[in-house]
Amino acid sequence: MSSEPTVERSGAPAGRLPADVTSFIGRRAELAALAGLLASARLVTVTGPGGVGKSRLALRGAAAAARAGLFPDGAWPAEIGAVRDPLLLGHAVLNALGLTDATARPPLEVLVEQLADRRLLLVLDGCEHLVGPCAELVDALLRAAPGVRVLATSRQALGATGEHLLPVAPLALEPAAGGGAADAVALFVDRAAAVLPGFELTEANRAEVALLCRRLDGIPLAVELAAGRLRALSVAQLNLRLDDRFRLLTGGARTAPERHRTLRTTIGWSHELCSMQERLLWARLSVFAGAFDLEAVEYVCAGGGIEAEELLELVAELVGKSVLLREEGPHGVRFRMLDTLREYGGYWLRAGGEQHRLLRRHRDWYLGVATWGEVEWFGPRQAETAERTRLAHPNLRAALEFSLGEPGEEQLALVLAGTLWFYWVGSGHLGEGRHWLDRALALAPEPTEARAKALWVTGYMAILQGDLARARPALEECRRQALTTSDDRALAYAVHRQGCAALIGDAPERAAELFEEALWHYNALGELNSNVLMAMFELGMAYLFLGDGDSGEVWIDRVRELAEEHGEQWAYAYALYALAYARWSAGEVRRARAYARECVRLNHLFRDLLGIVLAMDVLALLETEGPDGDLVEARVLQGAAHRIWQAVGKPFFGSRSFNGPHLECEQRARDGLTDQEFHEAFRLGGLLDLDAAVSRALGRGGRPGPGGLPGPRPVRPSPVPAG
């Protein structure tokens, strides 16, 4: 039953490098230098002042290196500018790499482990405010992962060992040998044509354009801001007004580097040329971290001089003036402000005394995003909700940071961190979720409803990480508080999660009692959501572990029925895992494989590693069944599952019951393979990244084999064979 092990790594992905939204002008020499450095150096830092084009150059160079095949595992950008808490740096990089950290370990440890055998380029963009932490992360990563290289952008060097610097100067002001326009002039003409269709470089305006670019020192951001004014002013008028602004605004800044003064003056001049409302909106938009949509702008920024119905036009004006960047994706149009412009807007927001009010409105909007996401999580839009929350993640971090740092806002920090349970759990961010909850719980010890929810969410996440030492005290405190304050809902959730602790603690009989009690409470409250369905699934598993398959499948079928009725897929996927376990126990290999594969496929939609890895271990065991079994393939899947467990937490939560299929598979493989085959197949499985492992589990490249299932329908979960 053995065969030659084969492992297919995923192709050469480009990572998640963003597509260019405007043309890339010039920088041929810099791109050539960067290509040479990336081919030989493991850490390259692109340095230069704000607005000089570091990020565009780095991303362009990274894309070229990826296309050239230098990095088989792709080039991956991580935006560091929006990360304010150094403790979240590792989480942010993991998220950017598409790696899920659900463990209780330090994220850097997980990152090092996950990238140990990868050959990829990590682009850390905007490191200047976290130079020390970034240097520590890079140093640890490069020491432990020989196939990883790092390309950073920063206004100053990181100071890490082995760092190679690529200083970026402004664009050339003189034409290159062979003629053509200077790079700075070419950039101005390109951006001018975008706001003034038909604009081109002519003999009549060539001298004025060249003069303008020289006065702007060829700084790309300054050139783009100036080009954005052409709808109202001619190039000659731009020169005259800019000359006036330089004389006025540089007088008190003689100690600053000349180019810094030029950029600051150009931004200030562009700011002055904006209307009063545009300036006000510019300042207010500085509270956003990362990208944001128009709906968020309308809520956060309206009022006090700006009517909601005026915001669409004002946003369009700021896009036209290059103050905002417009990004169009599968989830609609979003906007982003460069860090340099955000800093300038933040200055005026503070000067106008509006910062606190705007930060609170920003927090309130993203609390609404979280609250609505929790509601929509139980329904047919779960995958869309997960993606919408992922897009809002940088702003959710900013909202949490504000609530935790502002006296009197601690309760809302508890509410926000607790409400996001569906994202922390369902999309694999347990480590970061616990970070925020631990901080909030430490700041708000009062026995409030918000604290009760934060406690059971903390207990739940700790259980999933196999951390019973933290889970049990949190859940017991929640239960005591619920009884004292007559909080029936918190009591139901506390009892439910205590049942989970008993289940992974190998006390299925006690677990069943607690799940039954929790479901009684849920029924009395009229509570029905994904948590309630999970309680039914967990009760079914408790019965299966007790050997009562009939009772177990009654509850699992109830989960399927309710999930299909409401279009819910996350808890439904866990029910499929339970059915796979039950059908394997009954000797029905074909049905068990179909259920387990569909569980893997659905959980992959949410990036829920726990659901994936539980089903993958069952699929490994199923490979050992029957005369056509493949022990080598079983062992490859076990190796892939082991790698995933490293990003989840303690394998099988430390539970003997959940570990049963794994141990059975391991023993069968050991009995039927040579030692070399046994260990080599496991090692090769460990080389598979998540997507490749899922593809393998779904049937040698992702095609469902016998007993496989069709893809998902738009609303209802995919059909599965009747039990």
Side-chain angles (χ1 to χ4, degrees), residues 410-415 440-441 443-456 477-487 490-491:
E410 299 87 357
Q411 287 299 317
L412 284 175
L414 283 173
V415 172
L441 287 166
L443 289 174
E446 303 85 359
T448 61
E449 182 178 331
R451 181 176 176 82
K453 182 171 185 176
L455 285 167
W456 73 254
E477 181 184 345
C478 180
R479 181 178 175 278
R480 286 197 309 270
Q481 179 183 309
L483 290 170
T484 301
T485 60
S486 300
D487 187 342
L491 179 61

Side-chain angles (χ1 to χ4, degrees), residues 559-594:
V559 176
R560 292 177 65 191
E561 175 187 333
L562 289 170
E564 290 179 359
E565 178 183 341
H566 293 275
E568 206 275 1
Q569 296 193 66
W570 178 64
Y572 176 82
Y574 279 88
L576 294 178
Y577 159 72
L579 287 171
Y581 183 95
R583 292 302 93 208
W584 164 70
S585 299
E588 299 179 22
V589 173
R590 180 178 176 277
R591 290 189 183 278
R593 182 176 285 114

